[in-house]
Amino acid sequence: MIHKEYILQDWSKCVLFKHATPKYSFHIWTAMLDRLSTCDRMLKWNPAIDPVCVLCKEEVETKNHMFFSCAYTSQVWQKLMRGLLCVRYTEVGEILLS
Ligand SMILES: [Zn+2]
C-alpha cells in the first residue's frame, strides 16, 4: 500500500496557517510529533554518543528537558517570554508539547 491515511492533528491549524514562517512551522511540527534530533533519540541510532545536554551538562537531552527543564534554556526562555507575554507568562510549558 503506497497511500497512507494520516490523522489530522487538532493543533495543526495553530502551526500551519497562511502567514506562518515555514521553518518555524516545520520545527514546531517536528517537536509536537517528538521527532526532534534530541540526544535521547539519537542514542537509539548510535549508543556511543554522550546523551547529556551540552548546555547545562546536568541531564539527558530530551525534548522536554531542552525546552522546559534545562537550567540554561530556562533562563533564555524566561527572559524572552516575560518580555513578550508580560503578565500572561507561564512556566507550565510542558503542557504545550505533551
Ligand atoms: Zn540542559
Side-chain angles (χ1 to χ4, degrees), residues 53 55-56 65 70:
C53 174
L55 298 173
C56 69
H65 172 78
C70 176

Side-chain angles (χ1 to χ4, degrees), residues 11 22 27-29 34 37 43 49 51 79 82-83 85 89-90 92-93:
W11 43 262
H27 191 76
I28 294 169
W29 189 274
D34 202 16
S37 296
L43 200 57
I49 69 162
K79 288 184 181 183
R82 278 192 179 132
L85 298 176
Y89 173 76
T90 178
V92 192

Side-chain angles (χ1 to χ4, degrees), residues 52-62 65-67 69-74:
V52 176
C53 174
V54 296
L55 298 173
C56 69
K57 301 190 184 325
E58 293 177 4
E59 294 180 37
V60 171
E61 183 191 275
T62 63
H65 172 78
M66 206 166 65
F67 285 102
S69 66
C70 176
Y72 183 88
T73 57
S74 290

Side-chain angles (χ1 to χ4, degrees), residues 4 8 25 30 34-35 38 49 75 85 92 98:
K4 181 179 177 184
L8 185 62
S25 295
T30 306
D34 202 16
R35 300 285 188 198
T38 50
I49 69 162
Q75 288 179 2
L85 298 176
V92 192
S98 56

Side-chain angles (χ1 to χ4, degrees), residues 11-96:
W11 43 262
S12 64
K13 290 183 180 176
C14 297
V15 176
L16 299 172
F17 50 92
K18 188 175 182 180
H19 298 292
T21 304
K23 72 176 178 181
Y24 299 130
S25 295
F26 177 76
H27 191 76
I28 294 169
W29 189 274
T30 306
M32 294 296 282
L33 295 176
D34 202 16
R35 300 285 188 198
L36 293 174
S37 296
T38 50
C39 287
D40 64 324
R41 294 194 65 235
M42 289 192 290
L43 200 57
K44 295 173 190 167
W45 310 323
N46 181 1
I49 69 162
D50 180 7
V52 176
C53 174
V54 296
L55 298 173
C56 69
K57 301 190 184 325
E58 293 177 4
E59 294 180 37
V60 171
E61 183 191 275
T62 63
K63 176 187 71 178
N64 285 335
H65 172 78
M66 206 166 65
F67 285 102
F68 307 112
S69 66
C70 176
Y72 183 88
T73 57
S74 290
Q75 288 179 2
V76 174
W77 182 252
Q78 285 174 6
K79 288 184 181 183
L80 177 68
M81 296 313 288
R82 278 192 179 132
L84 292 172
L85 298 176
C86 300
V87 294
R88 293 181 295 161
Y89 173 76
T90 178
E91 293 184 12
V92 192
E94 193 167 324
I95 295 168
L96 296 173

